[in-house]
């Protein structure tokens, strides 16, 4: 068979040469050890935690080493394309501190290795498919869907592996004239790799290949024997082919991708080999898992777990620094230890490595994120938090913009209890913070809790009247509390909880119940930070009005 002639028949319009592309996209001039990584999302408009998790690895590997991190849009599955998706990807990642150096943007490409959108690279894929055909390493296949189903049924009956390989690859040895006649008859065809691999039924032992994975170490897997499709009937490449061609020509050094690609790795190994190219270093990240209600580990699902979507963290108002900090704890097993030793160091000083990544499923836990967020927010100053909350509210809760009118007031609220020796950790994410501090604003004050059962209704009034009568905004904390104690004893409540516990028959309740009455009148809640401090922030007028109006 004259493969050159066959290649011309299949790709008459492809005149570009592989060496032209090699010259157009030369090896990158980067310092020794610099890594080139990429994110290759499909533009579906849905950007999820897994993307962020992978992007984080890409970003760290590239930027820690003085390399390049670029964005490639993998839109070969055009049914899933969503308008504006590129912007969504770039902006969502930027929010979490992840920036690309190169690649696709809404306003066109940045960088010398484009085009960075796969649907614009048709000629490149075809040129390399043509090269493989010329060398007898790929061939046109005219099998119809029905024929492929028949092959599958036969394989099932004979307990053979499914797929198009060896004797099932019926179009492998078509003659030039047969191919030409089929094309002229208008029969659709794909281009398949002519695999050299041997399946189990054709040899004593399937050959194993070894691949060094930067996260998983040496992987040993059976070699590929499938004549996989590299170009579909439309001429569009499959993931396998586009990955190999793009990562070669864009000079990617490290391919970070999900573990779901591990089973197809032997295909990629064979493609790199057939094209005569050096493989990049693969980094197959662990799947993101969560514990379900029954305590079983399962994959995060788009349908069941809203926290899989990155929008979730934006809507809830998680601070990007908290999400980054949390991601690093699940990404690198030594991060938490480093953080303990370097509590105030900027996060980028931590040296991220693929070796310290888990390969068995990274457990994602919202409660842990919340705990970390509490610590991270503690280190963010009140003015900075104010700005963050304001920007969040503008986008997600415009109806509360009035709380930002008095900057000083809100900053004091945010700082409440945060500068103590043992600081309070009340603040987690914007949605929760707004709810937590809502009682400071008259229009958002809600009476959420009931008065303590120990205090009858007539005592509530007596306590509040006495409190108002004795209230002096200038009292210091101990003077203020002495007055509450007095009110308590005068009305038959123990001045100390322990006295009440010892002799419950002698009292109606204790000073704690009395101060809860005041707390509820002031804040609508039985639990809150220190009442005296809250009153100092509320100011005299607001404090008096709340007690009087309860
Ligand atoms: N487009 C692929 C995906 O969205 C990218 C996989 C890769 O990074 O190679 O899963």
């Amino acid at each position: 068979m004259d493969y050159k002639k066959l290649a011309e028949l299949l790709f008459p319009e492809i005149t570009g040469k592989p060496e032209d592309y090699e010259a157009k996209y030369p090896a990158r001039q980067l310092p020794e050890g610099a890594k080139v990584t990429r994110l290759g999302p499909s533009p579906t408009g849905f950007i999820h935690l897994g993307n962020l998790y992978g992007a984080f690895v890409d970003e760290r590997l590239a930027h820690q080493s003085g390399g390049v991190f670029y964005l490639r849009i993998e839109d070969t599955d055009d049914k899933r394309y969503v308008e504006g998706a590129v912007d969504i990807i770039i902006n969502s990642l930027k929010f979490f501190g992840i920036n690309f150096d190169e690649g696709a943007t809404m306003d066109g490409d940045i960088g010398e290795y484009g085009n960075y959108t796969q649907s614009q690279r048709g000629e490149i894929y075809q040129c390399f498919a043509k090269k493989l055909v010329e060398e007898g390493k790929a061939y046109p296949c005219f099998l119809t869907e029905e024929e492929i189903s028949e092959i599958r049924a036969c394989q099932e009956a004979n307990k053979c592996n499914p797929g198009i390989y060896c004797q099932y690859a019926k179009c492998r040895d078509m003659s030039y004239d047969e191919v030409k006649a089929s094309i002229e008859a208008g029969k659709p065809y794909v281009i398949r790799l002519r695999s050299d691999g041997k399946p189990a039924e054709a040899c004593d032992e399937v050959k194993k290949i070894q691949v060094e994975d930067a996260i998983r170490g040496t992987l040993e897997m059976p070699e590929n024997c499938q004549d996989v499709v590299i170009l579909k009937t439309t001429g569009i490449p499959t993931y396998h082919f586009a990955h190999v061609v793009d990562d070669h020509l864009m000079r990617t050094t490290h391919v970070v991708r999900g573990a779901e690609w591990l089973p197809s790795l032997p295909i990629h190994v064979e493609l790199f080999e057939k094209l005569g190219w050096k493989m990049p270093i693969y980094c197959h990240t662990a799947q993101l898992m969560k514990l379900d209600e029954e305590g079983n580990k399962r994959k995060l699902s788009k349908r069941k777990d809203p926290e899989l979507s990155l929008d979730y963290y934006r809507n809830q108002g998680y601070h990007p620094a908290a999400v980054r900090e949390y991601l690093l704890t699940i990404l690198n097993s030594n991060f938490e230890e480093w953080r303990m030793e370097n509590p105030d160091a900027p996060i980028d000083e931590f040296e991220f490595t693929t070796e310290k990544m888990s390969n068995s499923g990274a457990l994602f836990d919202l409660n842990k994120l919340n705990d970390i967020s509490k610590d991270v927010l503690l280190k963010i100053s009140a003015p900075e938090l104010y700005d963050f909350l304001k920007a969040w509210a503008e986008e997600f809760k415009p109806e509360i913009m009035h709380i930002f009118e008095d900057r000083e007031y809100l900053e004091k609220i945010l700082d409440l209890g945060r500068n103590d020796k043992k600081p309070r950790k009340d603040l987690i994410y914007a949605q929760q913070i707004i709810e937590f501090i809502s009682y400071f604003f008259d229009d958002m004050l809600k009476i959420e809790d009931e008065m303590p059962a120990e205090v009858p209704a007539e005592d509530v009034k007596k306590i509040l009247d006495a409190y108002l009568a004795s209230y002096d905004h200038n009292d210091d904390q101990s003077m203020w509390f002495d007055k509450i104690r007095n009110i308590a004893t005068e009305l038959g409540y123990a001045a100390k909880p322990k006295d009440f516990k010892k002799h419950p028959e002698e009292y109606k309740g204790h000073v704690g119940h009395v101060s809860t009455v005041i707390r509820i009148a002031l804040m609508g809640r039985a639990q809150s930070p220190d009442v005296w401090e809250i009153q100092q922030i509320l100011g005299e007028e607001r404090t008096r009005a709340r007690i009087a109006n309860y």
Side-chain angles (χ1 to χ4, degrees):
M1 164 75 109
D2 184 345
Y3 291 126
K4 245 189 145 53
K5 207 166 137 205
L6 177 64
E8 274 319 314
L9 174 69
L10 297 173
F11 301 101
E13 69 292 358
I14 295 299
T15 50
K17 295 269 169 283
E19 47 283 16
D20 300 339
Y21 291 113
E22 295 289 352
K24 184 168 175 203
Y25 306 114
R28 292 173 184 261
Q29 297 300 315
L30 289 170
E32 171 101 19
K35 300 180 170 115
V36 179
T37 59
R38 87 300 194 268
L39 192 72
S42 306
T44 59
F46 179 71
I47 165 126
H48 55 79
L49 200 61
N51 297 127
L52 179 64
Y53 180 85
F56 205 95
V57 180
D58 284 314
E59 189 274 343
R60 285 292 76 210
L61 292 184
H63 292 158
Q64 268 177 191
S65 64
V68 175
F69 174 37
Y70 71 88
L71 175 65
R72 180 169 73 221
I73 300 301
E74 308 212 329
D75 59 346
T76 51
D77 189 355
D78 52 9
K79 287 191 278 310
R80 294 162 65 207
Y81 187 82
V82 167
E83 203 57 49
V86 176
D87 245 16
I88 297 177
I89 294 163
I90 293 176
N91 287 331
S92 318
L93 293 174
K94 188 192 269 167
F95 180 79
F96 293 102
I98 294 189
N99 296 303
F100 296 99
D101 308 303
E102 183 179 306
T105 77
M106 268 306 262
D107 309 316
D109 286 347
I110 298 176
E112 303 290 315
Y113 289 80
N115 201 303
Y116 295 93
T117 302
Q118 287 183 332
S119 59
Q120 313 287 313
R121 300 172 61 77
E123 282 187 15
I124 302 180
Y125 304 121
Q126 303 214 2
C127 167
F128 287 95
K130 184 175 183 180
K131 169 182 153 77
L132 289 179
V133 173
E134 271 174 16
E135 295 171 358
K137 296 172 181 166
Y139 64 91
C141 170
F142 295 88
L143 288 175
T144 61
E145 273 180 41
E146 294 80 61
E147 286 168 318
I148 292 178
S149 309
E150 278 165 29
I151 291 175
R152 169 153 312 150
C154 160
Q155 287 166 331
E156 271 169 25
N158 294 326
K159 299 207 169 27
C160 294
N161 288 330
I164 302 301
Y165 59 92
C166 291
Q167 74 269 32
Y168 303 108
K170 303 226 154 74
C171 297
R172 262 194 181 189
D173 299 316
M174 280 169 82
S175 69
Y176 178 87
D177 291 338
E178 281 171 314
V179 171
K180 189 158 185 270
S182 299
I183 291 176
E184 279 166 4
K187 286 193 189 163
Y189 62 93
V190 299
I191 303 291
R192 285 185 188 273
L193 171 75
R194 189 192 304 273
S195 173
D196 287 328
K198 297 238 175 333
E201 53 261 51
C203 57
D204 297 339
E205 206 180 335
V206 176
K207 196 175 141 204
K208 295 272 180 13
I209 53 164
Q210 287 194 337
V211 182
E212 282 306 314
D213 184 291
I215 297 173
R216 291 159 193 266
T218 310
L219 299 171
E220 198 180 68
M221 17 187 37
E223 67 172 351
N224 173 57
C225 68
Q226 300 271 345
D227 283 5
V228 289
V229 175
I230 58 173
L231 291 185
K232 303 181 208 175
T233 49
T234 47
I236 290 173
T238 52
Y239 166 80
H240 309 306
F241 196 54
H243 150 53
V244 171
V245 171
D246 290 349
D247 283 317
H248 170 71
L249 290 179
M250 295 181 184
R251 310 293 168 182
T252 309
T253 63
H254 288 66
V255 168
V256 178
R257 62 182 183 187
E260 68 274 20
W261 295 108
L262 274 173
S264 36
L265 185 55
I267 299 172
H268 308 148
V269 171
E270 189 172 7
L271 280 170
F272 271 106
E273 201 180 274
K274 290 251 154 20
L275 285 158
W277 295 335
K278 182 168 174 267
M279 278 205 309
I281 295 173
Y282 285 99
C283 315
H284 287 97
T285 58
Q287 294 270 12
L288 281 181
M289 314 285 274
K290 75 180 266 183
L291 284 182
D292 65 11
E293 295 69 35
E294 282 90 50
N296 300 319
K297 258 193 189 184
R298 67 164 171 76
K299 265 187 1 191
L300 279 165
S301 111
K302 186 169 169 181
R303 200 168 42 83
K304 291 193 220 148
D305 307 309
E307 73 267 32
L308 183 59
S309 165
L310 280 197
D311 284 347
Y312 176 84
Y313 305 91
R314 298 280 302 267
N315 293 335
Q316 295 290 82
Y318 279 94
H319 196 283
V323 176
R324 275 176 81 89
E325 185 92 7
Y326 176 58
L327 276 182
L328 263 181
T329 63
I330 48 176
L331 275 168
N332 254 193
S333 54
N334 54 333
F335 176 74
E336 280 183 280
E337 199 184 312
W338 175 85
R339 180 46 93 203
M340 267 183 331
E341 283 160 16
N342 304 278
D344 297 316
I347 197 165
D348 286 350
E349 281 181 14
F350 171 73
E351 203 190 323
F352 173 81
T353 57
T354 47
E355 293 81 16
K356 294 272 192 247
M357 284 182 76
S358 142
N359 54 21
S360 61
L363 201 57
F364 184 80
D365 177 4
L366 269 182
N367 294 326
K368 180 92 197 251
L369 167 63
N370 288 344
D371 279 348
I372 287 185
S373 191
K374 288 177 189 170
D375 287 328
V376 170
L377 292 198
L378 209 51
K379 293 196 195 119
I380 297 179
S381 70
E384 224 181 294
L385 260 187
Y386 171 97
D387 292 336
F388 168 71
L389 289 173
K390 190 172 175 196
W392 173 82
E394 263 160 11
E395 200 174 341
F396 298 103
K397 223 173 169 65
E399 68 276 18
I400 59 150
M401 289 315 288
H402 62 286
I403 75 168
F404 298 96
E405 277 160 21
D406 187 343
R407 183 170 191 127
E408 202 188 326
Y409 185 53
L410 183 49
E411 284 183 10
K412 275 194 211 151
I413 295 169
L414 294 172
D415 249 350
L416 176 60
R418 297 208 314 156
N419 300 315
D420 301 354
K421 248 206 209 102
K422 204 168 167 286
R424 293 186 61 97
K425 295 182 184 176
D426 298 315
L427 313 181
I428 312 175
Y429 52 90
Q431 195 80 259
Q432 171 270 340
I433 294 173
I434 299 303
E435 172 60 34
F436 184 75
I437 64 170
S438 59
Y439 60 81
F440 279 98
F441 302 91
D442 291 338
D443 63 319
M444 299 201 284
L445 172 69
K446 281 192 293 257
I447 304 299
E448 291 174 3
D449 292 323
E450 293 196 6
M451 288 295 178
E454 290 78 358
V455 185
E458 65 272 16
D459 277 9
V460 168
K461 189 163 169 24
K462 281 185 201 155
I463 291 170
L464 295 179
D465 285 348
Y467 185 67
L468 199 56
S470 70
Y471 188 75
D472 182 341
H473 196 64
N474 297 319
D475 283 345
D476 66 12
Q477 199 157 9
S478 72
M479 173 67 106
W480 164 79
F481 197 64
D482 284 347
K483 285 183 176 174
I484 296 183
R485 262 204 202 105
N486 285 341
I487 297 172
T489 36
E490 266 165 37
L491 292 173
Y493 295 81
K496 290 185 181 138
K498 70 169 194 273
D499 296 342
F500 173 64
K501 265 192 206 125
K502 251 192 239 158
H503 305 288
E505 66 294 345
E506 287 177 23
Y507 305 98
K508 296 183 197 165
H510 61 72
V511 66
H513 300 124
V514 173
S515 59
T516 299
V517 169
I518 295 165
R519 208 183 275 268
I520 291 179
L522 279 171
M523 273 89 75
R525 313 176 177 184
Q527 303 284 332
S528 76
D530 185 80
V531 177
W532 182 83
E533 281 183 49
I534 291 175
Q535 293 176 151
Q536 293 303 307
I537 298 174
L538 284 171
E540 175 159 11
E541 208 181 311
R542 236 194 236 107
T543 304
R544 283 185 180 279
R546 288 192 181 182
I547 299 289
N549 297 338
Y550 178 77

